[in-house]
Amino acid sequence: MRLSQLFFATLRDDPADAEMPSHRLLLRAGYVRQLGSGLYSLLPLGYRVTKRVEQVIREEMNAIGGQELEMPVIHPADLWRESGRYDQIGPEMARFKDRGDRDMVIAMTHEEVVTDLLRDIVHSYRQLPVRLYHFQTKFRDEPRSRGGLIRVREFVMKDSYSCDRDDEGLDASYWAHHGAYVRIFERLGLDAIPVASDVGMMGGSLAHEFMVLNPSGEDLLVLCDSCGFSANRQVAAVRVPAASEASQLPLEEIETPGATTIAELAAFLGIDAAATAKAAFFTAGDGRLITAIVRGDRDVNETKLSNAAGVSGGLRPATVEEIRAAGMEPGYGSAVGAHDTTVVVDGLAAGTPNLVAGANRVGYHLRNVNLGRDYRADLVSDIDNARAGDACPVCAHPLALRNGIEVGNIFKLGTRYSAALGATYLGEDGQAHPIVMGSYGIGLGRNVACIVEAHHDEKGIAWPDEVAPYPVHLVSIGTNKEPRVAELATELHDGAAAARPRHGAAGFPGGREILWDDRDESPGVKFTDAELLGMPWIVTISPRSLAAGGVEVTRRATGQRVVLPLEEARAWLVEEGSPPPTGD
RNA sequence: CGGGGCGUAGCGAAGCUUGGCAUCGCGCGUGCUUUGGGAGCACGAGAUCGUGGGUUCGAAUCCCGCCGCCCCGACCA
């Protein structure tokens, strides 16, 4: 591809709206353009990178027996009503009516459709297992998009679905995907860490997210550098020390005027926050009031609370009226004397005797509150939010908290969708069984952005070989001084374009094509753009390089530079199978 | 949805406080010179100042509404 013909433009100045390096560089180098909030066009360069990422994923999915297909972006709402998600999911899902006044939705994901296909086609255990995947557009009307391509509203995702006879089969499919993902991210040049995660809106029993550490990441990861424990903070267990043996002291009401927060209470009484109990009130989607009790120095983890209490429709902070209706007083609240509420007590608070807790009366607290004697719990469970420095739940080593970006996820769905939609097969026993499913996603655009995050310097992008839009950026200089420069550049460029695709670029037309900066620009402009665009190899041909014996080859990522004789350059770029001229 | 910021030529910005000819750099076009690290000179094109209303002799500038974008938080496979 001649750069003079390429549809792109580099920007000399950083766009005002871009903060993350990947966003800034993809914009400046002409890979993407923004259409609206969370909506991006992929320009030819960005499209080629995305297609190469797609190809890596395709190869690894095929390697575990995946079969590629394609499912629609527009779905009838009735299908989503069957699974129950039509009403469960909020404004994040786009809905509209077609001309026949039928309710339709724009796909956020494809569990329903794949399950519909299964109930149509699979009837016997002999047809299982099967692993299906596709690359398809999703739309999620996020409350807030951010970070360039990191969090967008419309995006292409590889989603795959495993369909097995039983839990054993699902387990095999799950770990097959786990392995495939490890290989995919390694090939993409990403250090992705699998962490235990919440099952969220997918439902299911086991889930991992593959996370790339990044200061702009939206997720918080709890990591142990001693034993390797890793979890999303949403689900990270907190280690609870053995319950205290201290004897219970008599309950005592004390006046605490104006002390409505733990900090004020602790300061007023001159005690540590850890000697108090904190009550937090939530209203569940089903209308229940949930009262969560944690030790005063800790915080409630809403995901863990929601899972522990078996809440389906999510949690929102309770209103003052709702709290009072259950016999409690905001600011001076506790579970003592509470009624008509589900009380969930964290293990740490349950095991700490004689806490100071609210008296459910304005201006008063209670000393020496003890679970069992003074209030009851519907449930004692870990609902504590993990913090940096906490003891690892596995090995007790101090934990670290890091930000991460989710580049992929794997979920055990079980029979959540097959049961709801009636996707069953006849087993060897002659009985109908629901198909046991798993769901596995990788967002393409987000991965492209993460690759740039991991592979750039102050000058620009430095693509890994596996995903670069073109392997080589040919820079010709001094064509007016030396006619051979243009002749040789044309020969190399045209020769590479005519060559058969390089091994590993199957299905990718023009896989051996190189980029040639044939523009009438000064050398400075050409070099600067070459470094910004980030092809793995920059090949310079000029009177000077010819005098030195050939072309100059620079490895973009390392800056390592060698002079390559013309014959070797031809062998490398035009004739198939020649290795790159230098190591890294 | 809460808090903050921004919207002026393709890009980046100044001008707004204190109303009075639309400004600068880059980029773009033409010509000449230049060609190993974002070249020089000359000429030139390009802006409903996000949008609607109001105040005023006069609004990019002051007032009100709306739209859009970014950041933090809430939210979120």
Side-chain angles (χ1 to χ4, degrees):
Chain A
M1 170 60 78
R2 285 172 158 84
L3 208 53
S4 62
Q5 306 301 311
L6 182 67
F7 184 69
F8 89 122
T10 56
L11 304 175
R12 186 173 293 205
D13 301 306
D14 281 335
D17 285 342
E19 302 217 337
M20 286 183 74
S22 58
H23 190 196
R24 216 179 63 230
L25 291 171
L26 287 169
L27 237 30
R28 274 194 55 203
Y31 283 78
V32 302
R33 277 297 115 101
Q34 182 170 12
L35 177 65
S37 184
L39 305 171
Y40 285 84
S41 296
L42 293 175
L43 303 186
L45 286 174
Y47 183 71
R48 286 179 74 100
V49 174
T50 306
K51 286 293 159 186
R52 296 211 62 196
V53 169
E54 184 181 301
Q55 184 58 23
V56 167
I57 297 171
R58 177 175 290 119
E59 287 168 17
E60 296 298 337
M61 293 311 298
N62 290 344
I64 60 166
Q67 299 183 51
E68 187 169 0
L69 45 62
E70 188 173 282
M71 294 175 276
V73 179
I74 304 296
H75 306 172
D78 280 346
L79 188 58
W80 285 72
R81 290 197 176 98
E82 278 193 74
S83 71
R85 288 160 116 191
Y86 188 77
D87 298 313
Q88 200 179 334
I89 295 173
E92 200 175 327
M93 180 158 69
R95 302 149 204 254
F96 67 99
K97 283 181 189 291
D98 68 8
R99 65 194 300 163
D101 206 37
R102 287 174 287 259
D103 287 323
M104 310 296 283
V105 308
I106 302 178
M108 303 176 58
T109 171
H110 285 79
E111 279 77 17
E112 279 79 359
V113 178
V114 89
T115 309
D116 180 64
L117 288 173
L118 291 175
R119 68 180 166 185
D120 197 27
I121 290 171
V122 173
H123 300 107
S124 159
Y125 70 94
R126 292 181 219 275
Q127 293 169 278
L128 297 173
V130 63
R131 293 170 187 166
L132 304 170
Y133 73 96
H134 73 344
F135 295 90
Q136 185 58 288
T137 297
K138 316 281 191 244
F139 182 79
R140 295 179 188 175
D141 197 357
E142 301 285 353
R144 185 185 153 210
S145 54
R146 71 185 89 188
L149 293 189
I150 296 297
R151 185 172 201 77
V152 295
R153 296 193 295 170
E154 183 190 307
F155 56 98
V156 174
M157 169 178 273
K158 183 288 297 178
D159 42 325
S160 49
Y161 303 91
S162 65
C163 318
D164 286 281
R165 301 174 190 177
D166 49 32
D167 287 342
E168 255 173 57
L170 170 58
D171 207 53
S173 288
Y174 187 84
W175 292 106
H177 275 87
H178 190 283
Y181 276 34
V182 168
R183 289 187 290 278
I184 287 166
F185 295 123
E186 192 195 321
R187 288 179 64 182
L188 296 182
L190 293 173
D191 287 320
I193 310 167
V195 305
S197 72
D198 186 45
V199 295
M201 79 166 186
M202 305 301 317
S205 57
L206 179 65
H208 283 87
E209 292 164 337
F210 285 76
M211 292 284 189
V212 173
L213 295 182
N214 187 291
S216 300
E218 302 177 88
D219 287 280
L220 276 170
L221 313 183
V222 178
L223 303 172
C224 176
D225 64 15
S226 175
C227 74
F229 169 82
S230 62
N232 192 309
R233 177 148 89 159
Q234 292 179 323
V235 298
V238 171
R239 194 187 187 90
V240 180
S244 167
E245 298 294 320
S247 56
Q248 300 188 350
L249 301 173
L251 194 66
E252 178 190 342
E253 189 174 67
I254 47 176
E255 206 169 340
T256 53
T260 59
T261 66
I262 293 293
E264 288 162 356
L265 179 66
F268 180 79
L269 295 176
I271 58 173
D272 197 280
T276 69
K278 181 189 291 184
F281 311 99
F282 301 92
T283 300
D286 55 18
R288 286 149 73 200
L289 179 71
I290 311 280
T291 302
I293 307 293
V294 295
R295 210 172 67 179
D297 59 325
R298 308 292 304 193
D299 293 304
V300 175
N301 178 316
E302 283 188 42
T303 304
K304 286 157 82 171
L305 174 63
S306 176
N307 289 338
V311 170
S312 57
L315 296 172
R316 62 164 173 82
T319 64
V320 172
E321 293 71 32
E322 287 167 339
I323 297 166
R324 290 199 175 129
M328 297 181 285
E329 179 58 39
Y332 303 90
S334 74
V336 178
H339 51 81
D340 297 314
T341 178
T342 302
V343 178
V344 184
V345 182
D346 180 62
L348 184 59
T352 310
N354 305 319
L355 292 171
V356 173
N360 290 323
R361 182 179 161 204
V362 174
Y364 291 88
H365 278 81
L366 298 169
R367 260 195 223 280
N368 305 322
V369 172
N370 290 289
L371 175 64
R373 184 189 73 181
D374 306 314
Y375 69 102
R376 56 163 192 92
D378 293 282
L379 199 61
V380 175
S381 179
D382 175 9
I383 54 168
D384 192 357
N385 216 13
R387 291 192 306 209
D390 282 354
C392 170
V394 175
C395 73
H397 186 81
L399 292 167
L401 217 53
R402 302 284 298 277
N403 290 88
I405 297 170
E406 180 188 347
V407 289
N409 58 41
I410 56 179
F411 283 91
K412 281 192 179 181
L413 296 175
T415 57
R416 158 85 175 78
Y417 296 93
S418 51
L421 300 197
T424 60
Y425 68 92
L426 232 43
E428 281 181 278
D429 55 5
Q431 302 295 307
H433 303 277
I435 296 170
V436 183
M437 298 172 61
S439 153
Y440 316 87
I442 298 180
L444 297 192
R446 180 180 286 190
N447 272 268
V448 169
C450 284
I451 292 167
V452 176
E453 288 288 319
H455 299 276
H456 73 273
D457 56 26
E458 63 290 342
K459 292 175 174 172
I461 303 170
W463 294 111
D465 294 296
E466 188 99 50
V467 299
Y470 295 92
V472 167
H473 190 130
L474 178 64
V475 175
S476 55
I477 292 170
T479 47
N480 59 334
K481 275 191 189 165
E482 169 58 83
R484 280 182 70 219
V485 169
E487 284 166 26
L488 290 167
T490 304
E491 181 195 330
L492 292 175
H493 169 267
D494 293 356
R500 298 221 324 276
R502 187 185 298 277
H503 177 70
F508 187 55
R512 297 204 57 194
E513 203 181 347
I514 66 173
L515 196 61
W516 172 25
D517 191 345
D518 60 331
R519 298 175 301 174
D520 184 23
E521 289 286 355
S522 70
V525 171
K526 291 189 175 192
F527 288 133
T528 307
D529 275 348
E531 284 155 344
L532 178 61
L533 294 183
M535 303 316 138
W537 301 99
I538 298 170
V539 174
T540 307
I541 181 162
S542 69
R544 187 193 288 187
S545 80
L546 291 176
V551 300
E552 202 174 87
V553 176
T554 306
R555 186 67 169 157
R556 171 64 183 93
T558 61
Q560 188 182 24
R561 186 176 299 189
V562 297
V563 172
L564 195 69
L566 277 174
E567 271 324 298
E568 290 182 38
R570 270 193 204 99
W572 171 36
L573 298 175
V574 179
E575 292 151 31
E576 204 163 354
S578 305
T582 66
D584 273 271

